[in-house]
Structure formats: C-alpha cells, structure tokens
Amino acid sequence: MTNKALLTLIRWLVILSMPFFLGLGMIRAIIAWDYPGFEYGRIAPDIFGFTPEERLELAHGTLDYLQRPEPADEVIYLLEDLRLPGTDRPLYNAGEISHMIDVKVVADALKWVAYGAGAIVVIGLAVLLIPAATRLFGWRTLMWGGLATVITLAVIALAILIAWPIFFVQFHELLFPPGSWTFAYSDSLIRLFPEQFWFDFGVLVSVGTLVLGVLVALAGWLMARRSRPRVTA
C-alpha cells in the first residue's frame, strides 16, 4: 500500500467513524446529565399512579442497570428486585425483564462501537495532524468528518420529525426480536418511558450531535485555512 493510499484509508476511516463517535457520545452525555429528571417535568404525569418522585426513582434504578459494566445476565437482578411502590409486586413482568436484557446487550455493543469509533478518530487524526507534511490533509479530514456527521444527523432528525412512528418501529424491529418490544400502556416500562420520552430524546440526540458536527466541521475548515502554505511576494 502506498503512502497516499494509506492516508486516504485513514481519512475515510475517520470520516465514517465521526458520526458514531459524536452521536453515541451525545447519547451517553444526555443520560449522564439526568435526562429523566428534565423530561418528566415536561411530559404528562403517569395516569396509573406513579408520583413524579416515584417515577424518577424507578427510572434512575432502570438506567443504573443499563450503565453497569457487567453483562446483562449478571445484573438483571437489579431490575428483578425493583417493586411497585407500596407493594411487594415486581415492577417489571417477565416480558419486560426479557426485553431489558436485550436492551442492555444492544447498549453494551453500542458502547464498544463508540469506543472503537473514538479510537479510530483520535488515532487517525493524530497520525494525520502530527506530521507537518500531512497536517493540512488532517484538518480537511476533520472538516469532512464533521460534514458527514451533519448530513447523517440531518437525515435522522428529519426522519424523527416527519415520520416518527415509522422511525420508532423500524428502529426497534432492526435491533430487537419481533413482538418482544411491545407492551401494554399499563406496563411499567411504558409508564416510565412513554413514547414522548423517546421522541424528545431522539430530537435532543440528533440536534445535539448535528450541532457538534457543525462545530467540528468549522474547526477543521478554520484550521485548514491557517495551515495552507502562504505565498510571499
């Protein structure tokens, strides 16, 4: 492989990895920011009886399970031990528990995708930006990675805003076994995480990542301008 071909390969790896790196990073940032605490103040209260405090506590317990580093089957007890407020009945039924195992398997896989994409972006840009001879090429690669993110997230944002029901169904059908992710409105998963919760989450993630893409593209463009050889009279 020639040096030019290697540089081109690194460029494309960085460009293709950037949307995953920024998008999955945005998801983790929004969850760490306590999204349920923000969202529950905006959406309708639970019509089946959870108080706002109970709803938030149970949502935090569910998200704690998803963020644990252990495999799903080792920490699913965290959800199995949750109880409906004021009773000794389990919060989640067998179908919900099975789905949450699937959710954590997917979430853990996406976490490693984010780590891999981040490593590619950081290492690839370092390889391109550290040598002076390829620095301009590296800044342009950063710009194109940002633009790729903008285009990708603009399409996703439009899909969410224009065709949310179709987007929601296709997203779940892609990641989970058919029929395993639908529940009654009275089930705890829907009471804690109704569809409006996920619509708003999707809008926040897509718009936030799009803004990050714009900033990355702008930074790459500005630095590329500064790195161009200057012609002296």
Side-chain angles (χ1 to χ4, degrees):
M1 183 180 292
T2 65
N3 188 53
K4 183 177 180 181
L6 179 59
L7 292 176
T8 301
L9 174 62
I10 294 173
R11 162 176 274 185
W12 278 107
L13 287 174
V14 170
I15 291 172
L16 294 175
S17 298
M18 188 71 75
F20 292 98
F21 175 50
L22 296 180
L24 295 174
M26 179 61 66
I27 290 174
R28 295 180 67 84
I30 291 175
I31 292 175
W33 165 58
D34 188 16
Y35 173 68
F38 163 80
E39 182 67 2
Y40 286 157
R42 300 180 65 258
I43 62 177
D46 174 44
I47 63 174
F48 295 99
F50 286 155
T51 67
E53 294 78 17
E54 290 169 345
R55 204 181 196 187
L56 186 58
E57 180 181 357
L58 294 171
H60 283 160
T62 303
L63 292 178
D64 178 61
Y65 153 78
L66 289 175
Q67 295 178 84
R68 293 288 292 268
E70 300 91 341
D73 57 353
E74 292 183 14
V75 291
I76 191 61
Y77 71 88
L78 293 171
L79 298 188
E80 293 172 335
D81 289 346
L82 292 176
R83 291 293 180 265
L84 288 166
T87 76
D88 194 40
R89 290 184 292 151
L91 176 67
Y92 294 123
N93 60 40
E96 292 171 300
I97 290 294
S98 176
H99 177 60
M100 290 306 293
I101 291 175
D102 293 340
V103 169
K104 182 160 171 55
V105 169
V106 171
D108 288 349
L110 290 177
K111 177 178 67 176
W112 287 107
V113 171
Y115 290 158
I120 291 172
V121 168
V122 172
I123 295 172
L125 287 175
V127 169
L128 297 178
L129 292 174
I130 290 175
T134 59
R135 194 163 296 153
L136 177 59
F137 189 81
W139 290 125
R140 286 175 175 168
T141 297
L142 181 66
M143 180 188 71
W144 283 109
L147 289 175
T149 302
V150 170
I151 294 170
T152 302
L153 271 298
V155 171
I156 292 175
L158 284 174
I160 290 174
L161 293 173
I162 296 173
W164 166 252
I166 297 173
F167 179 89
F168 187 76
V169 169
Q170 292 304 313
F171 175 84
H172 282 79
E173 290 289 346
L174 176 66
L175 296 178
F176 304 111
S180 69
W181 54 272
T182 54
F183 303 97
Y185 287 112
S186 58
D187 286 339
S188 294
L189 270 180
I190 304 302
R191 295 171 63 185
L192 293 176
F193 310 108
E195 192 170 322
Q196 186 66 44
F197 181 99
W198 295 117
F199 175 83
D200 294 343
F201 184 79
V203 170
L204 274 177
V205 169
S206 56
V207 172
T209 308
L210 191 151
V211 170
L212 283 180
V214 170
L215 294 176
V216 168
L218 182 61
W221 178 74
L222 290 173
M223 295 306 297
R225 287 193 63 185
R226 292 184 59 183
S227 299
R228 287 175 184 165
R230 295 183 179 180
V231 179
T232 57

